Amino acid sequence: MIKNVGIIGAGTMGSGIAQVAATAGCHVVLYDTREEALQNAEKALDKILSRLIEKGRIDGDEKQRIQEHITYANELEGLSKSELVIEAIIEDLNIKRAVFEKLETIVSKKTILASNTSSLSIASIAASLKKPKRCIGIHFFNPAPLMKLVEVIPAVQTSEKVLRKVVMNIQNWKKTVAVAKDTPGFIVNRVARPFYGEALRMYEEGLADFATIDWAMKSIGGFRMGPFELMDFIGNDVNYTVTETVFEAFYYDPRYKPSFTQKRMAEAGFLGRKSGQGYYQYGANAKNPEPKEDVALAQQLFDRVLVMLINEAADALFWQVASAEDIDNAMTKGVNYPKGLLHWADEKGIDWCVTKLDALYERYREDRYRCSPLLREMNAAQKTFFS
């Protein structure tokens, strides 16, 4: 088992991963070039662990043990004894490649080098190494200590031994692993695109306002947050950039086409909660519109988003991005969907999915609404995703 873990980047994600590894009993070195970031990470961890004591989830001895398992370094050489290094820095391919190239000269030849990237090519990162077979993607979700899912992404260069070792160790960290092919967005950031994109499209068509669409997804679908609430929570700048990245990476497939509405929000600085304004207002005296609680309209809105999500999940399975089980686990444990999308497809009926998608395609004649070949084949054979 891996006992010595290095983390690059002391931001929210890197610090969270450090907490997860230390809680599992690993000796962790958290590295950042900024001394202030390291100090803030140490203070934040102390605060988080104290809160866990108040909630009765850990005791004082456990808090001390976790803290003693994390050391802080502002020089990359501090990671020299690591058996696994996870990079959690800015989503810039050139910067990541430069860090990995330097890191390889410091660590052991057997050290596994992993990136926490949410959408960049693992193969491209691995290509910066002299021993690319040691490179893999290990994608945590924020906040890392709370979210159960971790996507593990082997590059075409990654050895089977490295993949097996990483999966076993992440499972020992009490996480659910979903193994994904090294394609844009992996599982979650690919399959979830319609949750935002189709909601924006319906708004732009004038079918309903932000509040009504959010209400529909929560009241009919059981989602914890509506798409506009969630985009405000994530940040419109971040969400738009991910959409744009996936769109470009898929050679401009219209299914992932970004929205001008969100682009303008990002350009205006209306980023959501962090800026105080997005699709909703977040000031002390903020007044936001009430939804139009029309159940028939809500059902129409929900059905359209759901069938697009199902189509995306089915296509991910068709292209062997991941197994049906891993796709459903990714969406329920990675982004807290109320049900797995492929289970949802079985529940609604494959024929229902195909009929809905064909009706959308007939109306718009856009490739955005093309039905996955897998859904069409399954409908013809009267098959379901799960028995």
Side-chain angles (χ1 to χ4, degrees), residues 30-275:
L30 180 58
Y31 160 80
D32 202 293
T33 55
R34 302 161 297 153
E35 188 63 41
E36 184 182 0
L38 294 172
Q39 292 172 0
N40 289 340
E42 192 168 7
K43 290 175 185 175
L45 177 64
D46 185 76
K47 188 175 180 180
I48 289 167
L49 295 178
S50 294
R51 196 177 302 133
L52 291 176
I53 291 175
E54 291 172 7
K55 293 180 178 180
R57 295 181 184 175
I58 63 172
D59 57 22
D61 289 342
E62 176 70 355
K63 175 185 176 182
Q64 185 177 350
R65 185 192 68 80
I66 293 170
Q67 288 177 315
E68 288 176 349
H69 273 67
I70 302 177
T71 57
Y72 301 85
N74 58 11
E75 292 185 358
L76 206 57
E77 286 73 15
L79 306 179
S80 62
K81 295 181 180 179
S82 301
E83 300 164 79
L84 166 66
V85 177
I86 303 174
E87 161 274 312
I89 60 173
I90 187 172
E91 286 286 87
D92 184 301
L93 182 59
N94 291 328
I95 294 175
K96 289 182 189 292
R97 285 169 59 94
V99 168
F100 273 66
E101 194 173 344
K102 183 177 179 182
L103 184 62
E104 192 175 30
T105 66
I106 295 169
V107 299
S108 159
K109 292 180 180 179
K110 294 182 179 180
T111 302
I112 297 170
L113 304 181
S115 176
N116 183 63
T117 179
S118 60
S119 58
L120 296 176
S121 162
I122 305 300
S124 186
I125 294 170
S128 66
L129 302 172
K130 292 178 181 177
K131 289 174 65 69
K133 66 180 181 180
R134 65 162 78 189
C135 187
I136 195 165
I138 303 178
H139 179 217
F140 286 79
F141 291 80
N142 196 27
L146 297 180
M147 301 304 287
K148 293 294 185 184
L149 183 82
V150 176
E151 291 179 327
V152 172
I153 310 100
V156 291
Q157 305 99 312
T158 307
S159 74
E160 281 294 327
K161 183 179 178 181
V162 166
L163 173 60
R164 287 196 302 270
K165 191 171 185 178
V166 165
V167 168
M168 183 172 62
N169 276 275
I170 297 299
Q171 287 173 337
N172 284 336
W173 291 3
K174 303 289 191 293
K175 295 295 183 183
T176 298
V177 173
V179 178
K181 187 183 287 188
D182 185 14
T183 54
F186 313 135
I187 303 172
V188 172
N189 277 325
R190 171 187 182 151
V191 174
R193 291 341 301 159
F195 189 70
Y196 317 108
E198 204 58 28
L200 284 159
R201 174 73 180 249
M202 293 189 301
Y203 164 76
E204 289 173 342
E205 289 180 18
L207 293 178
D209 60 15
F210 307 138
T212 301
I213 295 171
D214 280 350
W215 176 76
M217 296 307 295
K218 291 186 292 184
S219 64
I220 303 293
F223 286 86
R224 295 184 187 181
M225 298 177 76
F228 296 99
E229 290 174 320
L230 187 51
M231 284 185 280
D232 272 359
F233 181 78
I234 295 167
N236 279 302
D237 52 342
V238 174
N239 190 266
Y240 178 79
T241 298
V242 172
T243 304
E244 197 172 41
T245 300
V246 171
F247 180 53
E248 182 179 349
F250 274 108
Y251 306 109
Y252 305 101
D253 187 324
R255 285 196 311 197
Y256 310 109
K257 186 177 180 181
S259 159
F260 279 118
T261 295
Q262 190 171 37
K263 180 177 173 64
R264 294 294 180 258
M265 290 293 240
E267 289 170 342
F270 295 167
L271 308 182
R273 288 181 179 273
K274 62 186 176 184
S275 69

